[in-house]
Amino acid sequence: IRESYDAAQGWIVVTIIGAAIGVNAAFLNIITEWLADIKLGHCKTAFYLNENFCCWGEDNGCDDWQKWTGFSPINYLIYILFAILFACTSATLVKSYAPYAAGSGISEIKCIIAGFVMKGFLGFWTLVIKSLALPLAIGSGLSVGKEGPSVHYAVCTGNVISRLFAKYRRNASKTREILSACAAAGVAVAFGSPIGGVLFSLEEMSSYFPLKTMWRSYFCALVATAVLSAMNPFRTGQLVMFQVHYDRSWHFFEILFFILLGIFGGLYGAFVMKWNLRVQAFRKKYLTNYAILEATLLAAATAIVCYPNSFLRIDMTESMEILFLECEGAEDYQGLCERDHRFRNVVSLLLATVIRIFFVIISYGCKVPAGIFVPSMAIGASFGRSVGIIVQALHEANPQSPFFAACLPDVPCITPGTYAFLGAAAALSGIMHITVSVVVIMFELTGALTYILPTMIVVGVTKAVSELFGKGGIADRMIWFSGFPFLDNKEDHNLGVPVSHAMIKDVTSIPTNGMTLQQIEGLLAEDNYQGFPIVEDEHSKILVGYIGRTELRYAVDRAKRERTLSPQAKCTFAPPPSADVTTPGTDIITPGLARMDSFNTIGFAEPSTTASASSSNFINFSRYVDTTPVSAHPRLPLETVMELFRKIGPRVILIEYHGKLMGLVTVKDCLKYQFKVEAMEEVANNGQHSG
Amino acid sequence: IRESYDAAQGWIVVTIIGAAIGVNAAFLNIITEWLADIKLGHCKTAFYLNENFCCWGEDNGCDDWQKWTGFSPINYLIYILFAILFACTSATLVKSYAPYAAGSGISEIKCIIAGFVMKGFLGFWTLVIKSLALPLAIGSGLSVGKEGPSVHYAVCTGNVISRLFAKYRRNASKTREILSACAAAGVAVAFGSPIGGVLFSLEEMSSYFPLKTMWRSYFCALVATAVLSAMNPFRTGQLVMFQVHYDRSWHFFEILFFILLGIFGGLYGAFVMKWNLRVQAFRKKYLTNYAILEATLLAAATAIVCYPNSFLRIDMTESMEILFLECEGAEDYQGLCERDHRFRNVVSLLLATVIRIFFVIISYGCKVPAGIFVPSMAIGASFGRSVGIIVQALHEANPQSPFFAACLPDVPCITPGTYAFLGAAAALSGIMHITVSVVVIMFELTGALTYILPTMIVVGVTKAVSELFGKGGIADRMIWFSGFPFLDNKEDHNLGVPVSHAMIKDVTSIPTNGMTLQQIEGLLAEDNYQGFPIVEDEHSKILVGYIGRTELRYAVDRAKRERTLSPQAKCTFAPPPSADVTTPGTDIITPGLARMDSFNTIGFAEPSTTASASSSNFINFSRYVDTTPVSAHPRLPLETVMELFRKIGPRVILIEYHGKLMGLVTVKDCLKYQFKVEAMEEVANNGQHSG
C-alpha cells in the first residue's frame, strides 16, 4: 500500500494543485470583471454584480445597470478616480507585502525551472498578494494582462502545495517538474486553453521537457480547466470570455493581407521590446523608490487618455471579443459594422493601436502584477480589424476587380473579424516569439477551425520577421536585462574555445586522507564554493570524486551529533575499493537508481558497512562523496560543456585531464566567459565603426 | 550571397519537400476515394469520377452513379473480386519492387530518426511503391489506414529530396532534423491537422526535439497542408473528409460515460497490441514466403465478412464521418438516428466493433502499406456511437431521473455523435499511447471546441488504463519485437549497475606511436569495431583520444594516395601538445564550432601545420583523432550512460578510470545488457511462479 501511495502521490499532488489553480482562477475572473465594470456604473439590484450578470439575458445593457451619473464628464472623473484607487492599492500591496509579486514573473519562473534559486519568489505571500493585486491592476485599466501573473500564481500554488509533501521538499528536480506542469495550468486557466498551456510550457518555460512532464502538465492543465469550467465564472458554459464562430471561409487572395498582419506582428514585437527595455532601464535607475506613485500616475494617464476612445475605454478582453465578431447576427458595438462609420472606425482603431502600444511600452514592468499577452493581442486585434475594414471597403469599391475574383457576387466576402483574430495571433507571437502555442491558443480561444492555415501563415511570417531583429522573446530579453544565469537553449553559442578558457583553475580540493575536522570546518566557514572536488592527494591531483557543500555540512553536523569528535580527527573521503572495475561480477555497488534526478538533490547512499569509522579520531565521509561526478576534458569545446549543463543538469562540471583535476566550471562561469567575449566583440565592433 | 543562400537553404529544402508531400497527398486522396467507390458502382458520365464528384451537389446518390448490377448478390461478388484484385496488386508491387514499403513504417522511422541506419528504407523506390500501393491497399477494404504509410512516404520524400543538396548528403544529424519535420507533414496531410502533426512528431517520433526542429516541422506541415488545401482534393474547401460541428454542449453527468469510453480505449489498445504481436510472430515464422497470398486472402475474407454490415461495407473514413454526425439536420445513413432502429443499430455497431478489432489484429503488419490510426478510430467510433445511442435511449426512457436533471425538458439532450468522436479519440490514444497529439488531431479534425475537456478526460483515462498494461504504444512494441537498437526515452531504465558491467573490456586500442601502417591496415581489415581508442601506450593505457573506423580508413587511403608509403611506415596519433591546458591564452585550438552536430558526421580538423610528416616512413594521423571523446567513469550508473547516449548522441562512450582506458560501450552493448537482465528476470519470475 505504501508503495502504491508513493507512486500515486505525484498524481494526487498535481490534482490538488490543479484544483486550487482552477478555483483561484474562477474567483479572479469574477472579481476582475466586476472591478472593470464598476468604473463605469453599478447594478441597482445588487452592487456586487457586474454588468453582464446584472442584465442577464439582455443585450446592450438594461435598466438595472446604471451609469454613475447622467452627466458624462462626471462619469469620466469617476472612471479616473476608480482607476487611480485600484492602481494605488495594487502597487501598495505589492510594495508592502511581496515585492516579487510585481511584473509578469515569466522570466523568473523560466530561470527557476532551469535550476536557478530565488528565495521567496514562489512563496505563500507572493501567491496571496499576486492574487489580490492582479484583479486590481487589471481593473485599474492599465495596459497589462493577466496571463503572465496567472502563470506566476499558478506556479506559486504548485510550489506552496508541493512543499507540504516530503517527497517534493527534498527533491528539487521533481519539484521543477511540478512547476512546469503548473505553468501549463496557469496559461490554461488564463486563456481557457488547456492544450495551449501545455505547449506554452513546452515551448517557452522549460529548457528540458521530457514526455513525463508533458503528461503531468496535461493532467494539471486538465484538472485546472475542468474545475474552472465547473465553477463556470462567466455563466456561459464557456471557458473564455469570447468565443466566436466564423461562418465564412477565407480566400487565397487574402493571404497577401495575412502576410501584412504577420509583418506587423514581427515589427510590433521588435519595437515594443526595444523601447520597453529602455523604459525598464530608466525605471531601474530613477524610479525604484517611487513604485506606488509611478503605478498611480500611469493608471491616471491611461484612464485620461483611454476613456475618450471607445475601444480603449472598455476592458481589453471585452474589446477583443467585439473586434473578433462577425458582423452578421451579432450585436453591433459603436456601429463597427456599419458602412457609413467605416472611416471613423478605422481612424479610431488605428489611434487605439498606437496609444495602446505606447502604454504597453511604459506600463509593462511597472510594480504591479502585469502581463503582456492580452495587451499585445488587443493591439493586434485593433490593427487587424482596421486592416479588415479597409480590405472590405476595397472589395466593395471594386467588386469586379480580378483580384477579388474569388468572391461570390452579392454575398459578403471579407470578414473583418478574422483579420482582428489573425492580428491578435501575430502580435502575441511577435512579442513572445512562440509559434505552435500561439496557434493552439488562438484556436482554443475561438474554435476557428477553418482559420488554422491562415493563423499558421501569419504566425510563420511573424516569426520570420522577428528573427531579423534578434533572438528571444520579451521574457528572454528580460532575463538578459536582469542578468539571471540562464542558458538559453534556443541560442547557438558559437565561442570556438575549449572549456579550459572558462574554467576556474585554482580550485580548493580536499585530499582523500589527511585533512582534520578543524580544517574541513574551516573550509566550510570561509569558502564560498558550492562544493569541493576530492583528489587522491594535493600533489598528484588524481580526481576521485566530488562532495557538495550542503552534503559536507550535513555530514559534519551529523558526525558531531553522533559522537564527540576531537577537532584533530582525521577525515577520509576515500571511496570504497573499486573492486567492481576489475571484477565486474561483484555486487557491492550502491544502486544508481534514478541517478539523473539525484544530481540536484541530497541523495545519500546507504551507510557503508566498514566499521573502521568507530574511533573518535577518524571520520569516514566516503558515503557522502559522489564518486562519479560529471567531468570533461579541458579541450572539450565550451559549447559542448554548456550543452551538458543544459541536458544533464549538474551543478558543476569538473575538468579532468588524464585523470588529474585541472579545474571546474559552473553555469555562471560559462556565462561570465560568454558575456566577456560578447562585450569584447562589441567594443571591437564599435571601434571598427568609429575608426 | 553565398552565405545567405546557405542559411536559406534549409528553408528552401523544407518548402520543396512540404509542397511535394502536399501534392502527393492530394493525388492519393483522390485515387483512394475513387478506388473505394469503384467497388460499389461506377459513374455513367465519366468512369474516373467517384460517387461524390459524380453526384456533385446531390445528397444520397444520384442517377449518374450506378451500382454495377441491379442484383445484389452479384454486386457482392464484384465487391469481393475488386477487393482481391486491389490487395493482390498492392502486395505484388510491394514484394517485387520495395519490400520496405510494407507495413506502417512508423517504428522504423522512429529508429532512423534516433540514429539507426537502414539502407533503402527511405529510398526512392520505397517512396514510389508506397505511394502506388497505399491507395490499392486501402481501396481493397483491408482494415488498414493511411496515416502510418503517409508518414513513411512523407519521410521518404524528405530523404530523397534532401539528398539532392550537398549540405544534407554530408550531415546525418541535419538530415534527421528534416526527417522529423517530414514526419510532422505526413500526419498533417493524412489528417488535415498541421499542429497535430507537429505534436505527433514531437511526442512519438523524435527522441530529441529541440525548438528549432519544432519550428522546421511547423513550417513543413504548414506548406504541405497549404498545398493540399490549394489542391482541394475533396472540393469542399476542407482539409479532411469529415468536419462536424456540434451545437450542443455536454453535461457533467456524461463524464461517467466518457470515462467508460476512456477505459474502452485503454483495454482496446492493450488487447490489440497483445494479440497483434502474436499474429506477427506467427506471420514471421510461417508466412514470410506467402505474403501476396496472405494479403489476397485477407482482403477476400474482409470483403466477405464486412459487406453485409452496413458500417463495415463503406470506407472507414466515410463511416467515421457518418458516426460523428449529429442527428439533427444531417442526412440519415441507414436510419442511424431513428428511434425505432435503435436496437438494430446498436447490435450492428457492436458487431462492427468486434469484427473490425479482429481484422485489425490479423491485418496490421501484413505485407501491404498499412496504418493502424484510422482503423482504431473507426473501431472507437462504432463503439462510442453504440454507447451514445444506449445513453440516449436511457435518457428518453427516464427523462425524470435525477441523474439526467441537467437535461432540459423537451430538447434533445444526448448527442450520440459526440460519443463516437470521443470513442475514436480513446481508441487512437490507446493504441499509440499518445495524448496531447490525439487531442489536437481530434480537435483539428472536427473543430469540436466545446468538447476539448471531454476529449482530454477520455484520453487521460485511456492513458492511465493503458499504463497498467505496460509501457509503449504499438510502434514501440514493434521496435522491441523487431529488435532494433532503440533507446526509448519514455522508459525508466532501472538496472542499478555501473556501466562497467555492460562495457566491452578487451578493447583494441591504438598506441599513439609505434604502430606500422601494415598493422593499422590489418586492424582495419580484420576487426569489426566502429572505431579505436587511442592510448599513450599499450601498457599505461592512458587515454588520449578516439578515431572512428571511417575516419581511419579515409586517412590511410588519403595518405597512400598522396605519396608512396612503405608498409613499415610508423604511424603517430599523438595529439598536438596540449599547451592550451596550462596556458589558456593561446589560440591554437581548432574551433569547436557546432560540435554537437559533428558527432555523427565526418568532421575533420584543418590540416596541422607541422611538416614533420613529410618523410615517407612516418605518417601523422593526429588531425583525424578526436581528442575529446565522450568518456565516463566505470562506476557511472548504466542508466546515466544511456541518458548520455540519448542526449549527447555519441557513437561510443569510452570508459576511463583515473585517465586510463578501461573499456568502451555502444548503444548496442547497453541494450544487450538490458535484454540479458530482463531475460534473467523473466526466467526468475517464471521459476517462482512454477515453483
Side-chain angles (χ1 to χ4, degrees):
Chain A
I1 297 170
R2 182 132 195 94
E3 222 168 73
S4 63
Y5 168 73
D6 224 53
Q9 201 184 28
W11 298 113
I12 296 170
V13 172
V14 172
T15 311
I16 297 173
I17 293 171
I21 294 171
V23 169
N24 200 355
F27 279 116
L28 290 188
N29 277 341
I30 294 169
I31 297 171
T32 308
E33 266 200 88
W34 182 72
L35 287 176
D37 282 355
I38 204 79
K39 288 188 295 181
L40 298 170
H42 64 287
C43 189
K44 277 202 296 188
T45 44
F47 77 94
Y48 54 85
L49 291 180
N50 69 3
E51 188 175 352
N52 264 333
F53 286 135
C54 191
C55 306
W56 193 243
E58 288 171 77
D59 276 352
N60 278 323
C62 62
D63 290 341
D64 282 344
W65 179 261
Q66 267 200 332
K67 297 204 167 166
W68 286 110
T69 66
F71 185 54
S72 54
I74 295 185
N75 281 340
Y76 188 11
L77 201 69
I78 290 175
Y79 183 92
I80 295 167
L81 288 178
F82 266 116
I84 291 176
L85 176 70
F86 293 161
C88 182
T89 318
S90 181
T92 313
L93 279 175
V94 168
K95 181 153 184 156
S96 322
Y97 299 102
Y100 276 140
S104 98
I106 287 185
S107 314
E108 290 87 350
I109 292 167
K110 258 184 104 156
C111 294
I112 291 175
I113 289 178
F116 185 53
V117 177
M118 277 177 97
K119 248 194 148 134
F121 191 81
L122 300 180
F124 180 72
W125 277 109
T126 313
L127 169 60
V128 171
I129 296 303
K130 197 118 194 178
S131 305
L132 286 175
L134 175 60
L136 287 166
I138 293 171
S140 75
L142 279 169
S143 290
V144 297
K146 67 174 179 180
E147 287 60 34
S150 190
V151 172
H152 189 175
Y153 78 68
V155 175
C156 284
T157 311
N159 188 52
V160 167
I161 292 179
S162 67
R163 289 286 122 183
L164 304 177
F165 295 81
K167 186 174 167 192
Y168 294 98
R169 234 184 351 255
R170 273 182 294 129
N171 191 327
S173 141
K174 276 213 183 303
T175 306
R176 293 213 299 264
E177 198 182 298
I178 296 276
L179 299 188
S180 288
C182 292
V187 173
V189 293
F191 284 118
S193 157
I195 298 288
V198 174
L199 293 179
F200 178 79
S201 181
L202 160 69
E203 202 177 352
E204 178 71 17
M205 301 307 290
S206 312
S207 44
Y208 174 59
F209 203 81
L211 283 180
K212 201 177 153 206
T213 310
M214 177 142 151
W215 174 222
R216 279 267 150 99
S217 306
Y218 176 93
F219 188 75
C220 193
L222 169 59
V223 172
T225 325
V227 169
L228 178 62
S229 158
M231 298 196 46
N232 203 354
F234 301 118
R235 292 280 172 271
T236 53
Q238 291 172 354
L239 287 170
V240 284
M241 279 195 68
F242 41 98
Q243 209 168 60
V244 286
H245 181 70
Y246 297 123
D247 289 327
R248 276 192 297 279
S249 190
W250 50 286
H251 311 276
F252 269 92
F253 73 84
E254 289 185 284
I255 286 182
L256 198 73
F257 305 106
F258 297 160
I259 290 175
L260 187 74
L261 292 176
I263 294 172
F264 168 78
L267 295 177
Y268 160 79
F271 181 79
V272 167
M273 276 191 261
K274 183 175 171 190
W275 286 98
N276 182 257
L277 284 182
R278 296 198 178 182
V279 173
Q280 300 267 32
F282 178 82
R283 177 175 289 131
K284 209 171 180 180
K285 216 162 164 188
Y286 300 108
L287 300 178
T288 323
N289 296 319
Y290 310 103
I292 298 176
L293 185 66
E294 186 206 347
T296 314
L297 287 180
L298 267 177
T302 311
I304 292 168
V305 174
C306 290
Y307 189 84
N309 185 303
S310 50
F311 299 105
L312 293 175
R313 185 187 315 161
I314 50 177
D315 192 52
M316 278 179 285
T317 15
E318 240 177 292
S319 84
M320 267 199 280
E321 187 186 11
I322 290 161
L323 293 172
F324 284 1
L325 279 181
E326 272 187 327
C327 277
E328 289 81 29
E331 50 174 317
D332 194 3
Y333 179 83
Q334 301 282 338
L336 192 59
C337 290
E338 284 170 38
R339 292 187 63 163
D340 310 338
H341 292 150
R342 246 178 219 161
F343 182 72
R344 208 194 63 197
N345 276 325
V346 169
V347 171
S348 174
L349 283 168
L350 288 178
L351 211 63
T353 310
V354 173
I355 294 174
R356 185 90 79 190
I357 289 178
F358 173 72
F359 277 114
V360 164
I361 288 173
I362 61 171
S363 306
Y364 183 68
C366 84
K367 299 298 173 200
V368 293
I372 201 167
F373 279 47
V374 165
S376 294
M377 286 167 75
I379 289 165
S382 51
F383 179 78
R385 183 86 192 202
S386 58
V387 170
I389 295 175
I390 293 168
V391 174
Q392 197 179 30
L394 277 178
H395 169 239
E396 286 179 18
N398 313 289
Q400 306 303 330
S401 154
F403 186 71
F404 295 111
C407 289
L408 298 173
D410 305 324
V411 187
C413 178
I414 309 290
T415 316
T418 61
Y419 286 76
F421 168 78
L422 295 170
L428 178 54
S429 168
I431 196 83
M432 295 301 296
H433 282 218
I434 48 180
T435 51
V436 180
S437 354
V438 170
V439 178
V440 174
I441 287 173
M442 293 310 292
F443 193 32
E444 286 188 294
L445 273 181
T446 61
L449 179 69
T450 35
Y451 280 86
I452 192 147
L453 268 184
T455 314
M456 286 182 79
I457 292 169
V458 165
V459 169
V461 172
T462 300
K463 165 96 178 171
V465 171
S466 34
E467 295 237 310
L468 295 180
F469 294 95
K471 296 229 168 187
I474 196 154
D476 297 318
R477 305 286 174 105
M478 294 294 287
I479 290 175
W480 301 328
F481 178 79
S482 317
F484 299 135
F486 180 72
L487 288 178
D488 190 357
N489 59 344
K490 284 174 213 160
E491 220 182 334
D492 284 332
H493 300 286
N494 189 354
L495 298 162
V497 294
V499 62
S500 57
H501 286 204
M503 73 182 181
I504 297 173
K505 273 176 293 295
D506 48 344
V507 181
T508 311
S509 55
I510 299 179
T512 44
N513 289 302
M515 266 195 142
T516 62
L517 185 59
Q518 202 172 21
Q519 282 171 310
I520 296 283
E521 292 201 281
L523 270 184
L524 280 173
E526 113 203 348
D527 263 311
N528 288 314
Y529 300 125
Q530 289 184 326
F532 309 94
I534 311 288
V535 292
E536 250 178 34
D537 55 78
E538 285 291 357
H539 177 69
S540 76
K541 292 249 179 207
I542 294 286
L543 183 68
V544 295
Y546 180 83
I547 189 162
R549 189 188 182 72
T550 334
E551 285 85 343
L552 186 57
R553 177 86 264 166
Y554 175 89
V556 168
D557 289 350
R558 186 163 156 185
K560 283 166 82 178
R561 215 170 41 237
E562 279 175 358
R563 58 185 199 276
T564 44
L565 287 163
S566 93
Q568 298 306 322
K570 292 278 177 213
C571 303
T572 180
F573 294 89
S578 51
D580 62 297
V581 175
T582 40
T583 58
T586 57
D587 261 324
I588 61 157
I589 300 304
T590 54
L593 205 145
R595 156 138 190 118
M596 295 310 294
D597 283 343
S598 74
F599 269 124
N600 298 289
T601 60
I602 310 168
F604 299 121
E606 54 249 47
S608 70
T609 43
T610 46
S612 60
S614 56
S615 131
S616 74
N617 285 323
F618 190 72
I619 323 168
N620 190 348
F621 287 133
S622 312
R623 57 177 158 134
Y624 303 108
V625 174
D626 177 3
T627 53
T628 56
V630 180
S631 64
H633 193 281
R635 290 180 58 190
L636 200 65
L638 190 53
E639 292 86 359
T640 314
V641 172
M642 287 164 100
E643 218 41 77
L644 280 171
F645 274 119
R646 266 205 297 279
K647 291 190 183 157
I648 312 288
R651 279 178 297 187
V652 64
I653 291 179
L654 304 176
I655 309 299
E656 185 186 11
Y657 180 70
H658 289 189
K660 286 183 196 169
L661 178 71
M662 304 299 294
L664 60 78
V665 277
T666 61
V667 174
K668 270 196 181 167
D669 298 327
C670 292
L671 286 173
K672 235 186 257 167
Y673 185 83
Q674 192 189 344
F675 289 142
K676 207 177 73 189
V677 170
E678 277 169 8
M680 270 161 58
E681 270 171 12
E682 209 153 289
V683 171
N685 285 342
N686 290 345
Q688 272 185 331
H689 285 299
S690 57
Chain B
I1 296 169
R2 180 133 196 93
E3 220 169 73
S4 62
Y5 168 73
D6 224 54
Q9 202 186 27
W11 299 113
I12 296 170
V13 172
V14 171
T15 311
I16 297 172
I17 293 172
I21 293 172
V23 170
N24 200 354
F27 280 115
L28 289 188
N29 277 341
I30 294 169
I31 297 171
T32 308
E33 267 198 89
W34 181 71
L35 287 176
D37 282 354
I38 204 79
K39 288 188 296 179
L40 297 170
H42 64 287
C43 190
K44 276 202 295 187
T45 45
F47 78 95
Y48 54 84
L49 291 179
N50 69 5
E51 187 175 351
N52 265 332
F53 285 135
C54 190
C55 305
W56 193 243
E58 288 170 76
D59 277 351
N60 277 323
C62 63
D63 290 340
D64 282 343
W65 179 261
Q66 265 199 332
K67 297 204 167 165
W68 286 109
T69 64
F71 184 54
S72 55
I74 295 185
N75 281 340
Y76 188 12
L77 201 69
I78 291 175
Y79 182 92
I80 296 168
L81 287 179
F82 266 116
I84 290 175
L85 176 69
F86 293 163
C88 183
T89 319
S90 180
T92 312
L93 278 174
V94 168
K95 181 152 186 160
S96 321
Y97 299 101
Y100 276 140
S104 99
I106 287 188
S107 314
E108 289 87 352
I109 293 168
K110 257 185 104 158
C111 294
I112 291 175
I113 289 179
F116 185 52
V117 177
M118 278 176 98
K119 249 193 147 137
F121 191 80
L122 300 180
F124 180 71
W125 277 109
T126 313
L127 169 59
V128 171
I129 297 301
K130 197 119 195 178
S131 305
L132 286 175
L134 175 60
L136 287 167
I138 294 172
S140 76
L142 279 170
S143 289
V144 298
K146 66 173 179 182
E147 287 59 34
S150 188
V151 171
H152 189 175
Y153 78 69
V155 174
C156 284
T157 311
N159 189 52
V160 167
I161 292 180
S162 68
R163 290 285 121 183
L164 302 177
F165 295 82
K167 186 173 168 192
Y168 295 98
R169 234 187 348 256
R170 271 182 297 130
N171 192 327
S173 139
K174 277 213 183 306
T175 306
R176 293 214 299 264
E177 200 182 296
I178 296 277
L179 297 188
S180 288
C182 292
V187 173
V189 294
F191 284 118
S193 157
I195 298 288
V198 175
L199 293 178
F200 178 81
S201 181
L202 160 69
E203 202 176 352
E204 177 72 17
M205 300 307 290
S206 312
S207 45
Y208 175 59
F209 202 82
L211 283 180
K212 202 177 152 208
T213 310
M214 177 141 150
W215 175 221
R216 280 269 150 98
S217 306
Y218 176 92
F219 189 75
C220 194
L222 169 59
V223 172
T225 326
V227 168
L228 177 62
S229 157
M231 298 199 44
N232 204 354
F234 302 118
R235 291 281 173 269
T236 54
Q238 291 174 355
L239 286 170
V240 284
M241 279 196 69
F242 41 99
Q243 211 171 59
V244 287
H245 181 69
Y246 297 124
D247 290 328
R248 277 191 298 278
S249 190
W250 51 287
H251 311 276
F252 269 92
F253 73 84
E254 287 184 284
I255 286 181
L256 197 72
F257 304 106
F258 297 160
I259 290 175
L260 187 73
L261 291 176
I263 293 173
F264 168 77
L267 294 178
Y268 161 77
F271 181 79
V272 167
M273 275 190 262
K274 185 175 170 190
W275 286 99
N276 182 258
L277 284 182
R278 297 198 179 183
V279 172
Q280 300 266 34
F282 178 81
R283 177 174 291 132
K284 210 171 180 178
K285 219 163 163 184
Y286 301 108
L287 301 179
T288 323
N289 295 320
Y290 309 102
I292 299 176
L293 185 67
E294 186 206 347
T296 314
L297 285 180
L298 267 177
T302 311
I304 291 169
V305 175
C306 290
Y307 189 84
N309 185 302
S310 50
F311 298 106
L312 294 175
R313 184 185 318 158
I314 51 176
D315 191 54
M316 278 180 283
T317 14
E318 240 178 293
S319 86
M320 267 199 280
E321 188 186 9
I322 290 162
L323 293 172
F324 284 2
L325 279 181
E326 271 187 329
C327 277
E328 289 81 31
E331 52 174 315
D332 194 1
Y333 179 82
Q334 299 283 339
L336 193 59
C337 290
E338 283 170 40
R339 291 187 64 163
D340 309 337
H341 292 148
R342 246 177 217 159
F343 182 72
R344 207 195 65 196
N345 275 325
V346 169
V347 170
S348 173
L349 282 167
L350 288 178
L351 212 62
T353 310
V354 173
I355 293 173
R356 185 89 81 191
I357 290 178
F358 173 72
F359 277 113
V360 164
I361 289 174
I362 60 171
S363 305
Y364 184 67
C366 83
K367 298 298 172 199
V368 293
I372 201 168
F373 279 48
V374 165
S376 294
M377 286 168 74
I379 289 165
S382 51
F383 179 78
R385 184 83 192 206
S386 60
V387 170
I389 295 175
I390 292 170
V391 174
Q392 196 180 30
L394 276 178
H395 168 240
E396 285 178 19
N398 313 290
Q400 305 303 331
S401 152
F403 185 71
F404 294 111
C407 289
L408 298 174
D410 303 324
V411 187
C413 177
I414 309 291
T415 316
T418 63
Y419 285 77
F421 168 78
L422 295 171
L428 178 54
S429 166
I431 195 82
M432 294 301 296
H433 282 218
I434 48 180
T435 51
V436 180
S437 354
V438 170
V439 177
V440 174
I441 288 173
M442 292 310 292
F443 194 30
E444 286 188 292
L445 272 182
T446 60
L449 180 69
T450 35
Y451 280 86
I452 193 149
L453 268 186
T455 315
M456 287 183 78
I457 292 170
V458 165
V459 169
V461 172
T462 300
K463 166 96 178 169
V465 171
S466 34
E467 295 238 311
L468 296 180
F469 293 94
K471 296 230 169 187
I474 195 153
D476 297 317
R477 305 286 172 104
M478 292 294 287
I479 290 176
W480 301 328
F481 177 77
S482 316
F484 299 136
F486 180 73
L487 288 177
D488 190 358
N489 60 344
K490 283 174 211 157
E491 221 183 335
D492 284 333
H493 300 285
N494 189 353
L495 298 162
V497 295
V499 62
S500 55
H501 286 204
M503 74 182 180
I504 296 172
K505 274 175 296 292
D506 48 346
V507 181
T508 311
S509 54
I510 299 179
T512 43
N513 289 302
M515 262 192 145
T516 61
L517 185 60
Q518 201 174 21
Q519 282 172 308
I520 296 284
E521 292 201 282
L523 269 183
L524 280 173
E526 110 203 349
D527 263 311
N528 289 314
Y529 300 125
Q530 289 185 325
F532 308 94
I534 311 287
V535 293
E536 251 176 34
D537 56 78
E538 285 291 359
H539 177 72
S540 77
K541 292 247 178 207
I542 294 287
L543 183 68
V544 296
Y546 180 82
I547 189 161
R549 184 189 187 71
T550 334
E551 286 86 343
L552 186 56
R553 176 86 264 165
Y554 174 89
V556 168
D557 290 349
R558 185 164 158 183
K560 283 166 81 178
R561 213 169 42 237
E562 280 174 358
R563 57 184 198 276
T564 43
L565 288 162
S566 92
Q568 298 306 322
K570 292 278 177 214
C571 303
T572 179
F573 295 89
S578 53
D580 64 297
V581 175
T582 41
T583 58
T586 56
D587 263 326
I588 60 156
I589 301 304
T590 54
L593 206 146
R595 162 146 182 109
M596 296 310 292
D597 282 342
S598 72
F599 270 124
N600 299 290
T601 59
I602 310 169
F604 298 120
E606 55 250 48
S608 71
T609 42
T610 46
S612 60
S614 56
S615 133
S616 76
N617 286 320
F618 190 73
I619 323 169
N620 191 349
F621 287 133
S622 311
R623 56 180 157 133
Y624 304 107
V625 173
D626 177 4
T627 53
T628 55
V630 180
S631 63
H633 193 282
R635 288 181 59 191
L636 199 65
L638 190 53
E639 290 86 0
T640 314
V641 172
M642 288 164 100
E643 208 57 62
L644 281 170
F645 273 119
R646 265 204 298 279
K647 291 191 182 156
I648 311 290
R651 279 177 296 187
V652 64
I653 291 179
L654 303 176
I655 309 300
E656 184 186 11
Y657 181 70
H658 289 188
K660 286 184 197 168
L661 178 71
M662 304 300 294
L664 61 77
V665 277
T666 61
V667 174
K668 272 197 180 165
D669 298 326
C670 293
L671 286 174
K672 236 186 257 167
Y673 185 83
Q674 194 190 342
F675 290 142
K676 206 177 75 189
V677 170
E678 276 168 10
M680 272 161 57
E681 269 170 13
E682 208 153 289
V683 170
N685 284 342
N686 290 345
Q688 271 186 335
H689 283 300
S690 58

